[in-house]
Amino acid sequence: MTSAARTRSSAELIGAEEPVLAHNYHPLPVVVARARGAWVEDVEGRRYLDMLAGYSALNFGHRHPALTEAAHRQLDRLTLTSRAFHNDRLAEFAERLAALTGLDMVLPMNTGAEAVESAVKVARKWAYDVKGVPAGEATIVVASDNFHGRTTTIVSFSTDETARAGFGPFTPGFRIVPYNDLAALEAAVDETTAAVLIEPIQGEAGVNIPDDGYLAGVRELTRRAGCLFVADEIQSGLGRTGRTLAVDHESVVPDMVLLGKALGGGIVPVSAVVARREVLGVLHPGEHGSTFGGNPLAAAVGTAVVELLETGEFQRRAAELGVVLRDGLESLVGRGVVGFRSRGLWAGVDVDPALGTGREVSERLMREGVLVKDTHGSTIRLAPPLTVRGEELQDALGTLGKVLGQGG
Ligand SMILES: Cc1ncc(COP(=O)(O)O)c(C=O)c1O
């Protein structure tokens, strides 16, 4: 079976998926077989520069040697205990992650959506136990165009009809306000508010960057209102924007920070809620958990990720190469690009709709050896591994210019 799979062509493998895989994705027609650093290779041996990096789950590139080494070492010692027992890797992971984010306590989970779900539960419990909101009345304020994951509760407060339609009934208790609008947020917050939950930069919405001062404003407002500020840094965090966290650009410390994606080093799913002691301290044994959360393999890889970030090298690279990315995109404005938003090594690029949809541009880039992903309409998202080299980035931007120059 495995050897047969190895000899099948890309077209055959894509065809073989069709009848047996749920159609909840529409991947680009490329079948990746191996990868290293910023490069992936398909089953026919064609190479592509990965300018998506697993939606930021591969911030350190594919198979970073320090991360695979940590994983291999742990695979040979201990992989899973469940939290029924202690394991010898979890304490160090939690200590170092808390120190990296400037917060006190860590709740380890697996996927991003689980971290968000956990934060919703913790915020509600905090509202009842600490703030004194009457039972069952806690509200959470979120932003329009958010993306926090795919569970039933999370899509309950999505404004994307494709993500919601057909999945109700939904979880109550959420108020949606326009993103980047402090006045609207202020109007929505009241004595029932447990938390304000936002992405410091909205990734899926097209790398939507709020005005300077918005995050500091949210911090100020939530402090004044006596509710929690929860920052979903699952896509924006861990070096992507040129700082450890996107909120660091405004020197803001939220009450809860949600991490995922790159925390697993592109190897295993690792997510976490990191928070002030007063907040995560509301959880007691039996009230929340996960069989796999905090497993020794995840903790070993997560610790190695934190270790990479402690050096500051990746944040520095993202900031420096972010200038190359911004300059390159600036030079394409009016030449197929109608506008873009970027911070660090992360950009949402609006291409001229006359030249094609984001999907069509992504397919043209793929044929030229560059992998990206569209978000909505004619917007594509660029998020290369933070290990990408300046020349590779410049080449990819040159390729973007070329495919836009070719038109439809
Ligand atoms: C900001 C944000 N939060 C949460 C999630 C959900 O993460 P996961 O797909 O690991 O559940 C994502 C995924 O794209 C995200 O971008």
Side-chain angles (χ1 to χ4, degrees):
M1 188 72 193
T2 343
S3 65
R6 235 182 274 128
T7 58
R8 284 199 269 181
S9 69
S10 289
E12 286 167 329
L13 287 166
I14 291 169
E17 282 185 359
E18 184 74 8
V20 288
L21 265 190
H23 292 177
N24 55 331
Y25 280 94
H26 181 34
L28 289 178
V30 56
V31 182
V32 177
R34 51 189 71 79
R36 177 94 187 169
W39 291 87
V40 304
E41 197 180 304
D42 72 11
V43 284
E44 280 83 19
R46 275 185 296 264
R47 277 161 49 83
Y48 305 80
L49 186 66
D50 185 354
M51 290 285 287
L52 177 66
Y55 303 96
S56 288
L58 289 155
N59 279 2
F60 310 98
H62 294 266
R63 302 194 297 117
H64 188 288
L67 303 180
T68 50
E69 198 203 316
H72 282 300
R73 233 184 302 128
Q74 194 59 39
L75 274 173
D76 289 335
R77 278 202 324 132
L78 173 74
T79 53
L80 189 69
T81 54
S82 86
R83 296 285 304 279
F85 315 122
H86 295 274
N87 75 67
D88 67 349
R89 302 312 310 260
L90 191 49
E92 183 187 1
F93 172 54
E95 277 165 9
R96 289 173 78 164
L97 185 61
L100 183 78
T101 52
L103 288 156
D104 310 317
M105 280 181 112
V106 172
L107 170 67
M109 300 297 290
N110 310 285
T111 65
E114 278 179 301
V116 175
E117 283 276 348
S118 304
V120 166
K121 289 175 70 178
V122 169
R124 286 176 167 182
K125 190 140 197 310
W126 175 87
Y128 302 129
D129 292 2
V130 178
K131 182 168 172 170
V133 173
E137 288 182 20
T139 55
I140 292 178
V141 184
V142 300
S144 53
D145 299 323
N146 68 70
F147 187 88
H148 296 286
R150 299 292 196 171
T151 65
T152 314
T153 288
I154 294 172
V155 300
S156 297
F157 55 87
S158 168
T159 56
D160 175 357
E161 263 318 294
T162 309
R164 283 168 55 88
F167 297 121
F170 298 112
T171 308
F174 298 96
R175 290 179 189 162
I176 304 172
V177 298
Y179 189 61
N180 194 25
D181 183 338
L182 285 172
L185 187 60
E186 177 125 45
V189 166
D190 64 19
E191 68 284 353
T192 67
T193 308
V196 172
L197 164 65
I198 55 160
E199 296 154 89
I201 292 174
Q202 292 186 321
E204 298 301 308
V207 190
N208 199 2
I209 303 173
D211 296 338
D212 286 346
Y214 177 66
L215 300 173
V218 174
R219 177 64 287 183
E220 222 292 292
L221 193 160
T222 47
R223 191 172 281 132
R224 213 172 347 107
C227 65
L228 305 175
F229 176 11
V230 184
D232 180 345
E233 294 260 10
I234 288 164
Q235 194 165 161
S236 59
L238 306 179
R240 172 59 52 194
T241 66
R243 305 290 296 269
T244 302
L245 301 176
V247 289
D248 293 343
H249 290 278
E250 293 198 19
S251 304
V252 161
V253 182
D255 301 293
M256 266 197 267
V257 171
L258 314 183
L259 298 170
K261 295 194 191 281
L263 195 56
I267 299 175
V268 280
V270 185
S271 70
V273 176
V274 192
R276 292 196 293 113
R277 186 168 306 282
E278 183 209 56
V279 179
L280 261 182
V282 301
L283 288 183
H284 302 109
E287 292 174 349
H288 189 64
S290 155
T291 302
F292 293 101
N295 72 73
L297 182 59
V301 173
T303 304
V305 164
V306 172
E307 210 165 299
L308 291 180
L309 288 165
E310 284 168 350
T311 67
E313 182 197 330
F314 295 89
Q315 297 89 323
R316 208 161 31 244
R317 282 186 69 78
E320 285 167 12
L321 291 172
V323 177
V324 176
L325 179 61
R326 198 182 53 218
D327 289 351
L329 289 172
E330 228 139 45
S331 75
L332 293 176
V333 172
R335 299 197 296 129
V337 169
V338 293
F340 72 93
R341 301 153 297 284
S342 81
R343 181 151 293 167
L345 272 177
W346 201 20
V349 184
D350 305 326
V351 303
D352 182 349
L355 298 176
T357 61
R359 169 77 187 194
E360 286 160 350
V361 172
S362 303
E363 287 181 2
R364 272 181 244 149
L365 281 168
M366 182 200 73
R367 287 194 287 272
E368 298 291 332
V370 176
L371 297 182
V372 304
K373 178 76 175 76
D374 54 304
T375 53
H376 301 282
S378 288
T379 301
I380 56 171
R381 174 185 11 192
L382 305 180
L386 312 184
T387 54
V388 73
R389 288 188 296 123
E391 312 84 80
E392 293 169 333
L393 194 55
Q394 265 156 349
D395 285 352
L397 290 162
T399 307
L400 178 60
K402 182 177 151 194
V403 307
L404 294 178
Q406 287 166 352

